[in-house]
Amino acid sequence: MHSDRDIVQHRLRRVLDERIRPAVHATSVPLEIGIWQVPGEPVPVAEGLAADYRPTEVGAPWGPAWTTNWFKVSGRVPEEWAGRRVEAVVDLGFGTTEPGFSAEGLAYRPDGTAVKALNPRNTWLPVAAQAVGGEEFVCYVEAAANPLVMHSGPDDRTFAITPLGGRAPWLDEEGASNGEPIYRLRRLDLAVFDAEVYDLVHDMEVLDQLMRELPEQSPRRWQILRALSSALDAVDLQDIGGTAAAARAILAPALASQAAAGEHRISAIGHAHIDTAWLWPLRETVRKVARTVSNVTQLMDEHPEFRFVMSQAQQLAWLKEHRPEVYERAQEKAKTGQFVPTGSLWVEPDTNITGGEALARQFIHGKRFYLDEFGVETEDMWLPDTFGYNAAMPQLMKLAGVRWFLTQKISWNTTNKFPHHTFWWEGIDGTRIFSHFPPVDTYNSDLSGAEVAHSVRNFQDKGAANRSLAPFGYGDGGGGPTREMLARAERLADLEGSARVEIEKPGDFFAKALEEYPDAPVWVGELYLEFHRGTLTSQIATKQGNRRSEHLLREAELWAATAALRTGVAYPYEAIDRLWKTVLLHQFHDILPGTSIAWVHREAEETYRQVAAELGELIGSAQEALAGPAAEDGSRVVFNAAPHARSGAAALGTTVRREPQAVTVDPQAQDGGFVLDNGLVRIVIDERGLVTSAYDIEGEREALPPGAVANLLQLHQDFPNQWDAWDLDAFYRNTVTDLTAAESVTAVDGGVRIVRAFGDSRIEQTLALAPGTRRLDVDTVLDWHETEKLLKAAFPLDVRAGHSTAQVPFGHVERPTHTNTSWDAAKFEVCAHRFVHVGERGWGAALVNDSTYGHDVTRDVREDGGTTTTVRLSLARAPRFPDPDTDTDQGTHRLRYALLIGADVDDAIREGYHLNLPERTVSGSAEVAPLVAIDNPAVVVEAVKLADDRSGDVVVRLYESRGARATALLTPGFRLASATATDLLERPRAADEPACEVTDDGVRLRLRPFQILTVRLAAVRD
């Protein structure tokens, strides 16, 4: 037989696209349209409904960028349509086929209730299931003229530089626009919905997509081809509605043929990934959530089998606040089991940069919201789209009552393919969580034949397991599943040649997967994403705002709790709860990584300023209450919020000083440069302001290799192949400029001041050495005006370090300094929180910082046989997408880092906390004993607060920091009634082994390596 395969396939594609799909709404009449442009920011629904509309028509322009336009759409059902299903077809003139990335709309009934959303893949509105002839139809559409930020260049380049991410010049301070309209209305009709034609579309589409994925010589492929060819012959292109049933009858046998018993099983889970901010501001996400939830709850009315997961508590909290009627619909559907709260987190955060205690609060606030609002104890962590996963996460999940973990992003690796799809993830403490990476390789599946077939081919665990998950629904900008996707799922439930597709809840999938594959392989340690490494550095101010907010929250809770127990002042429950949620919101995985538009980051910076000011007031008022009245002798109370003692102040306590403490040693001039010497270390700075020697006097060892210089600023070209703000490609290292020229090197109060100018930028650094410390502090003020550049600070060290040790939440990880394997080589930029340490047995050095996350560590053998291990901090980047080139990190930034000489990991842990939690001094004379004390420095207190249930109990969260077993005595600074080990939500936990025991002296603790322990302490009530 001669092959006509290509002819049939091309014929099918054209007939479907040009004839059959349009025939679903073939019979139509135009609607009347009125328009009202909101003069500022979005308005309440009632105001939009009551506005003064002027007439407009299809083809008319609307919407300067970022404005809101309301449309009043009205018409009357023709008499001859009586008894038929009628819909409105509304095409706002969307700028792309991808929902959520350009114009969007939400339709309302005249009474203000939401109907459903409108986007490029969802252009219909329900009018009547059985229309009444002459019936009037009226609806209102709130249309957002969100600009197309991606694909915005003159040649449609995806990452073209665009100012559309900023408010100006389109919106003034009141939100009014003076820009040009960017969209044109394309279609607004009242139309008959032809269900038979609609079903024919999906019969043909599902079989066509399946056929194209089958092997060329597969009999099933040719059987489908012949069936499709015959069905096309049965379709009269001038009477599609009248011949659709006959065509469907021809296809029925092919659709009825059942899948083989051993076919792969896919759990399809309705989902709409809604980035809490990205190419749109936070205020637009509030509306995206309302649109998406309106969509899915409308679908649930007609499709009772449909299940949809919502994974960010913050978004539901917004819905409750701003659109309570839509929220009530979600709650109703949750009771039927269709709307499934999931994820356990407040937002889907970045898990590389977010601090440990903040990650704990993500679970606490997320889980508590679902419990309070839906009565649901979520058991999964749903985090499909973030840029790597720190190794403390399994333990945090377990402590929050989470059993399952789902993500997708590791499929974006550019070097190594992750070897599993279903596996146990083991954290730094040994906790294991059952985990799954959907082999469909997207969290926005449309359940197409290509994606279903890819899931089967790609599944890494064949033979041992036969089940995977596919999150389906349009996402990133929201939108969610469509009725077209549900039509595909229905046909793919049991279809020969395809995997079996079943719509169900995440918990159902995980329970079945675990039963099938209990001995799944184990992955130990961090899940490093071999992509998007630049997110560790982009947007300095956002990252600094987060780091400082995390530490200010620690201080506010500590001193407020201490003041409440010591002086009886009220604990600021509401303020702390609100401020935590604000900080957690901004840890979303496109805000904190620095990958959102300018609007988002400018708002974030202002929010962080407000958070810092309010937390400063809370800290100040608590400390004033604790310090007592001012002393006549000028005494000052020094507060130490760090978990280690310093300068006479106990950990988490205070000391009283009557004389100012010396800050730094005086620099001594030498050979055109300067020497800093405090008897422990000697630092030599040459006439260029470079550190030429860092000598450990006690250890009699030079830290720097022969001829090397430290604190060397290096400038690289930084122009990745794509995803500018996200990516740092390895070839950036091919070119480097050492910034050795100095405008001035001078002795100043506090150290040695170096000024350098380069390009359009300027940097001032003060190097200082305090008495009694091995820490060389580098206080940096960077006036940054470069573009597409990366600034690093290099510290070559004379150590043969086989690995580096980097702090992560609640512990640290070791990474090889070699590149033996492709997995090692791919980690050319890594995350560290407060420190990175390198060393040999018995001697080492560390770099600590107050706001830097990106680092690289390399190793080289010198001609003298010694080994140089170089640690570099990434200080600043200057990408131009998606933040306009006039905004990305441009301006003045202050950051601090320090070289710690002759240090072990314990020293690095301590000094990292000290650098980030500087002492505070308050006029007064009262000694304040710590609310809790720990007798083992390996056990680090991360949080001290009052219990969230307002019982007055003290909650202490601590962890073992060295990676070794530890015992410690926790001594309360109050009369103790009881001590209970709890989960993260401060509920008693069923421990495998007793973690705390009350004794006459306090609470005896036993911890395994890197164990996190939350202890609830009840005071004796008099």
Side-chain angles (χ1 to χ4, degrees), residues 36-117:
W36 174 61
Q37 181 177 321
V38 179
E41 283 289 279
V43 298
V45 174
E47 187 175 341
L49 298 178
D52 185 16
Y53 288 81
R54 61 175 175 81
T56 190
E57 61 187 0
V58 170
W62 67 277
W66 296 121
T67 61
T68 299
N69 290 244
W70 281 76
F71 295 99
K72 181 179 180 180
V73 183
S74 59
R76 197 171 294 278
V77 176
E79 295 289 344
E80 60 269 26
W81 293 4
R84 305 189 69 180
R85 178 176 177 124
V86 176
E87 298 179 344
V89 180
V90 181
D91 186 338
L92 299 172
F94 309 105
T96 176
T97 60
E98 296 300 315
F101 289 90
S102 67
E104 299 176 75
L106 180 56
Y108 301 90
R109 298 180 182 90
D111 64 3
T113 58
V115 182
K116 64 181 291 291

Side-chain angles (χ1 to χ4, degrees), residues 60 76 620-622 801 816 822 833 853 881 917 944 1014:
R76 197 171 294 278
S621 61
S822 58
H833 281 227
Y853 295 91
F881 178 85
L917 290 163
V944 178
T1014 304

Side-chain angles (χ1 to χ4, degrees), residues 89 95 165 181 265 313 359 373 495 575 608 682 835 976 983:
V89 180
R265 294 181 177 272
L359 286 170
E373 295 293 323
L495 183 61
Y608 283 131
R682 182 186 308 113
F835 74 82
L976 182 66
D983 65 7

